[in-house]
Amino acid sequence: MSETERIRQEIKNSVVKQGEEAEAYLSALILAGGELDIVRRTLEFISVDGDIATDYCRIVASVCGAMPDLEVKKPYDGRKKQLYIATLPQVQSENLLSKLGIMDFDSEGNLISLGLGVPQKIGKKDRLLSAYVKGLFLMCGRLFIYDTSCRAELVFLSRNACERIKELLENLGLKTALKYDEKKDSFKIVIKARESVLDLTALLGANQVYFKWFDKLIEQQETNRVLRQANCEAANADKEAMAAVKQMEDINLIKEKGKLASLPKGLREFAEYRLAHPLDSLRQIAISLNISKSGIYHRVRKLAEIAEIIRSER
């Protein structure tokens, strides 16, 4: 079993198949795999996953009291995967879609609105939202896992449905992008930010993937922190080396002019110590000479001023 299949199996095992969560899950399955005949008002559900098709039929039976007719067909395009097609008669279809909030009818049974299968109560209860997203992902979702990155996608044939689901996911704080696949004439929601993929896998109940990528994220953050610290230390070391070279040039110039011995004691001690220890940092020199931080910088500035005066007299 591939890693992707293990992820799908973990999600399927976490689906609650009764109560409100089952209805939310069923609503998502219908959005992603349902075909509604507006004239005959019959609902047909199509999936290439036998487990999902079986669960669909059982949940439908528990919600509206009627078991859909399930048949298996070979796809017309010659693909190897079989199609599982569940068909529900008109009355039961109307009852089911009305209960899920997908279709609304007036008192005379006339259709007055057709929704996307997103019940209003979803968004108020996290467990219902999780069940709904699980249904969407199992029907039209893909998760790509690489060594250093990961990506999730949800593919839809309808732009309207894609935009509505994108808005739903963004309300959860996920960073998404909508893309059109001209070759397949489909729309997809793409999630590339690792934090957002992590949040999605947590919502899906894919704990193995979540903890795997959480560990990788922590490891990468620690690696980045160490690299930033190393780069900062390297940059500081370069600055200190350049500053030390400048100090040596100033002191040697003063020495060449025979003015080193006439310097005040504090400046002379620092200058002589720097000449003897060209690789030491100012912090190390301050500790060795028992000088404060401000004191050491004062000596550096004074020597630089004296050297600049000598240069201007040339």
Side-chain angles (χ1 to χ4, degrees):
M1 181 184 293
S2 66
E3 187 167 15
T4 299
E5 286 303 316
R6 283 197 296 271
I7 294 167
R8 289 178 58 82
Q9 192 60 51
E10 185 179 8
I11 295 172
K12 284 192 281 187
N13 291 340
S14 69
V15 172
V16 176
K17 299 171 184 177
Q18 58 184 0
E20 287 185 319
E21 290 176 68
E23 292 180 12
Y25 174 69
L26 181 60
S27 181
L29 294 185
I30 293 173
L31 168 65
E35 292 186 4
L36 180 64
D37 188 324
I38 299 295
V39 178
R40 293 187 298 169
R41 295 185 182 177
T42 57
L43 177 65
E44 191 174 74
F45 174 76
I46 304 173
S47 175
V48 296
D49 190 313
D51 293 336
I52 294 176
T54 301
D55 287 342
Y56 169 85
C57 292
R58 289 173 179 170
I59 297 173
V60 167
S62 68
V63 172
C64 68
M67 177 67 75
D69 293 327
L70 182 62
E71 59 179 328
V72 181
K73 291 184 178 181
K74 291 183 178 180
Y76 299 111
D77 57 8
R79 288 180 298 173
K80 293 182 179 181
K81 288 188 176 180
Q82 295 177 316
L83 296 179
Y84 297 85
I85 305 173
T87 306
L88 197 62
Q90 176 183 346
V91 175
Q92 288 81 3
S93 294
E94 290 181 355
N95 290 339
L96 175 65
L97 297 174
S98 179
K99 185 169 184 178
L100 294 178
I102 298 174
M103 297 177 69
D104 287 328
F105 304 91
D106 59 21
S107 58
E108 298 180 357
N110 298 314
L111 178 65
I112 57 176
S113 67
L114 181 64
L116 294 175
V118 186
Q120 294 298 318
K121 53 190 174 184
I122 289 180
K124 298 179 181 179
K125 299 181 181 179
D126 291 341
R127 59 188 179 85
L128 299 186
L129 187 58
S130 176
Y132 188 83
V133 176
K134 286 177 183 179
L136 286 177
F137 186 84
L138 288 175
M139 287 299 298
C140 59
R142 296 179 292 187
L143 187 61
F144 302 92
I145 301 175
Y146 310 107
D147 290 337
T148 57
S149 64
C150 54
R151 185 176 84 253
E153 295 180 355
L154 294 170
V155 182
F156 300 87
L157 296 177
S158 165
R159 184 184 185 94
N160 190 19
C162 192
E163 289 176 344
R164 287 281 297 275
I165 299 304
K166 182 178 185 295
E167 181 181 357
L168 177 69
L169 296 176
E170 287 183 344
N171 287 339
L172 296 173
L174 303 184
K175 296 179 181 179
T176 67
L178 190 153
K179 296 186 177 181
Y180 173 64
D181 188 333
E182 186 174 357
K183 185 177 180 181
K184 297 182 179 180
D185 191 25
S186 62
F187 302 86
K188 62 183 178 181
I189 298 169
V190 180
I191 303 172
K192 296 177 70 175
R194 276 178 299 181
E195 291 82 357
S196 291
V197 176
L198 268 176
D199 291 342
L200 178 65
T201 55
L203 190 64
L204 290 170
N207 295 326
Q208 292 181 11
V209 179
Y210 176 83
F211 288 115
K212 174 182 177 180
W213 271 100
F214 184 79
D215 289 343
K216 279 194 174 185
L217 183 61
I218 296 300
E219 181 181 346
Q220 176 114 28
Q221 288 176 341
E222 179 62 19
T223 300
N224 291 340
R225 185 192 67 79
V226 172
L227 285 175
R228 285 195 300 269
Q229 183 176 349
N231 290 336
C232 183
E233 290 175 353
N236 289 337
D238 288 343
K239 290 179 181 178
E240 288 183 357
M242 292 175 64
V245 169
K246 177 65 168 57
Q247 293 159 25
M248 292 287 290
E249 289 177 350
D250 291 343
I251 296 170
N252 281 323
L253 177 60
I254 295 170
K255 184 178 180 181
E256 288 173 6
K257 294 296 181 179
K259 296 185 177 182
L260 187 59
S262 61
L263 291 176
K265 181 180 179 182
L267 285 180
R268 188 175 67 255
E269 286 181 349
F270 169 76
E272 290 172 347
Y273 191 94
R274 168 53 86 193
L275 290 175
H277 303 85
L279 300 180
D280 281 8
S281 67
L282 290 178
R283 181 174 177 274
Q284 291 171 317
I285 297 175
I287 293 173
S288 298
L289 297 179
N290 194 23
I291 303 172
S292 66
K293 183 178 179 180
S294 59
I296 203 74
Y297 282 113
H298 172 73
R299 286 162 173 75
V300 171
R301 286 194 300 270
K302 290 299 293 182
L303 288 172
E305 290 172 3
I306 295 171
E308 197 58 39
I309 292 172
I310 295 174
R311 291 188 182 97
S312 66
E313 292 175 347
R314 289 179 175 178

